Amino acid sequence: MRLGVQAALVDGRLVPGDVEVSDGVVAAVALASGNGRGIAAPGFVDLQVNGFAGADLIHADRDGYARAGEAMLTTGTTAFQPTFITAPEPEILAALRAMPTEGVGPRVLGAHLEGPFISPDRLGVHDPGSRRDPDVELLRRLLDAGPVSQVTLAPELPGALELIDELLVRGITASAGHTDAVAAQAHRAFDRGVRTVTHLYNAMRPSTARDPGIAFAALTRTDVVVQLIVDYHHLAPDTVRVVWQAAAGRFALVTDAVAAAAMGDGEYRLGSRPLWAEDGMVRGPEGQLGGSALTMIEAVRNLHELGVALEDALAAASTLPARVAGRPDLGRIEVGAPADLVVLDDRLEVQRVLVRGGTVVTR
């Protein structure tokens, strides 16, 4: 089957020609195509999805996951990490056991545990009563309850480095976030094996000229991928531009989506916390930002609008997050790679989505 496109994102470049798909994988690229339309990109990989289309994933059943997955597909997302924020242990255990690993549309890569081992000073919308100091036994109980692919923790907390060791032994991504770490503490974590930072600048120590904090420390490291929410609410446009100039090639888009994504204004929940969405901004009960209503295709458009080349913005939504998730087989278009693909028109509207070579969205 040919896609009928005029170009495809191959190895970071938009290569003219059509793409052929067979038996669930990419069979050929750069095929002659006289009347192709649109471009093919790797399906988007979202590392941080708390909820979508009205479903709060920490409490969702299979129907809720299916509803969220169907809506994510229409925005180009073909793989994601269900994200469970800080909550009581029984609640996280139940969420991990209830998380489906297939049959929801996009691939489920494994859970992203955003907490509970986070800084009491950088909670954001997380429940302060459920935050915990680093505890290896608690971490092991959580990891044994279901497939986990990423854990966000505050690396400056006593005992956090031992948690990082446990995660690395198990092949799980350790990410720094919701943290008050100074630069020296950040570098110790990066040297220990932390290779990414959750929603850079948000819920972390502010960076100043004499106190660079974890954000500036991460930007100095060529071995650290930074994750950003580019919705124009979490970060100012100039902040995004500066980060891109410092970290192009290690910049991963995430949505941090909550149940309000693909819905509209109104009241929602994130775990035990009430949220209010208005004009695309989501806030918690104390007025702090509480996730987003962003979708991955919107994040791509926003990053491109800020002057980033289209091929780079698409890679930031696919190749880079797939690498963070430990799935280098995803987020790429090349012969033999899984045919998880999105076809976009010249306005960057999603026209078609394929997962495992099968068309799941068409317009």
Side-chain angles (χ1 to χ4, degrees):
M1 175 184 67
R2 287 196 177 193
L3 299 185
V5 296
Q6 63 183 2
L9 184 68
V10 179
D11 197 23
R13 297 183 302 115
L14 285 173
V15 175
D18 202 358
V19 174
E20 183 177 349
V21 171
S22 179
D23 296 326
V25 300
V26 176
V29 298
L31 297 172
S33 177
N35 58 353
R37 300 180 62 184
I39 62 171
F44 304 144
V45 178
D46 196 343
L47 299 172
Q48 193 168 7
V49 181
N50 307 279
F52 214 90
D56 179 23
L57 296 185
I58 198 169
H59 294 142
D61 58 14
R62 178 167 283 276
D63 288 343
Y65 269 96
R67 184 170 71 252
E70 181 179 2
M72 273 187 272
L73 287 172
T74 67
T75 69
T77 295
T78 58
F80 73 107
Q81 293 182 153
T83 300
F84 305 142
I85 68 166
T86 300
E89 180 182 351
E91 193 170 326
I92 301 175
L93 292 173
L96 287 167
R97 291 166 180 152
M99 180 183 69
T101 57
E102 56 185 26
V104 301
R107 297 176 190 261
V108 178
L109 300 178
H112 172 182
L113 301 184
E114 191 184 6
F117 311 112
I118 60 176
S119 168
D121 299 316
R122 304 294 171 191
L123 290 170
V125 76
H126 289 228
D127 175 21
S130 298
R131 189 206 72 84
R132 293 291 179 267
D133 289 329
D135 179 338
V136 172
E137 293 306 316
L138 172 55
L139 176 66
R140 289 172 178 162
R141 291 195 297 273
L142 297 176
L143 299 183
D144 290 343
V148 174
S149 49
Q150 179 175 327
V151 174
T152 292
L153 51 75
E156 75 278 8
L157 297 177
L161 297 182
E162 286 70 29
L163 299 193
I164 293 168
D165 292 343
E166 180 75 17
L167 294 171
L168 297 180
V169 165
R170 293 180 180 236
I172 296 169
T173 299
S175 184
H178 286 270
T179 168
D180 199 42
V182 298
Q185 293 167 323
H187 283 297
R188 279 197 291 273
F190 299 147
D191 291 341
R192 195 80 165 215
V194 170
R195 290 290 176 266
T196 189
V197 175
T198 299
H199 47 51
L200 191 75
Y201 284 114
N202 297 123
M204 61 184 55
R205 187 183 192 88
S207 297
T208 68
R210 288 174 295 281
D211 181 9
I214 191 168
F216 278 9
L219 294 179
T220 70
R221 302 280 300 224
T222 60
D223 57 348
V224 173
V225 174
V226 293
Q227 305 171 31
L228 286 90
I229 308 167
V230 183
D231 63 352
Y232 297 149
H233 301 303
H234 282 78
L235 299 168
D238 281 345
T239 302
V240 177
R241 291 189 181 101
V242 167
V243 173
W244 181 261
Q245 290 170 15
R250 49 190 185 91
F251 182 121
L253 288 167
V254 297
T255 64
D256 197 15
V258 297
M263 295 293 285
D265 292 352
E267 185 173 347
Y268 301 91
R269 297 198 72 81
L270 177 57
S272 64
R273 308 286 278 166
L275 301 176
W276 287 268
E278 184 175 1
D279 296 330
M281 184 182 297
V282 182
R283 293 197 177 275
E286 292 81 33
Q288 71 277 59
L289 288 171
S292 84
L294 185 68
T295 68
M296 285 299 275
I297 186 57
E298 290 169 342
V300 168
R301 292 188 198 119
N302 291 344
L303 188 58
H304 183 44
E305 184 179 67
L306 293 175
V308 172
L310 178 58
E311 52 265 48
D312 292 333
L314 292 169
S318 56
T319 310
L320 268 295
R323 184 193 305 169
V324 171
R327 291 297 303 268
D329 56 319
L330 303 179
R332 60 196 179 99
I333 298 178
E334 61 181 56
V335 174
D340 290 8
L341 307 169
V342 57
V343 176
L344 305 172
D345 65 16
D346 57 4
R347 296 175 300 166
L348 300 186
E349 297 286 347
V350 174
Q351 297 300 305
R352 189 176 180 186
V353 179
L354 293 84
V355 177
R356 299 179 175 87
T359 299
V360 290
V361 173
T362 184
R363 291 179 178 171

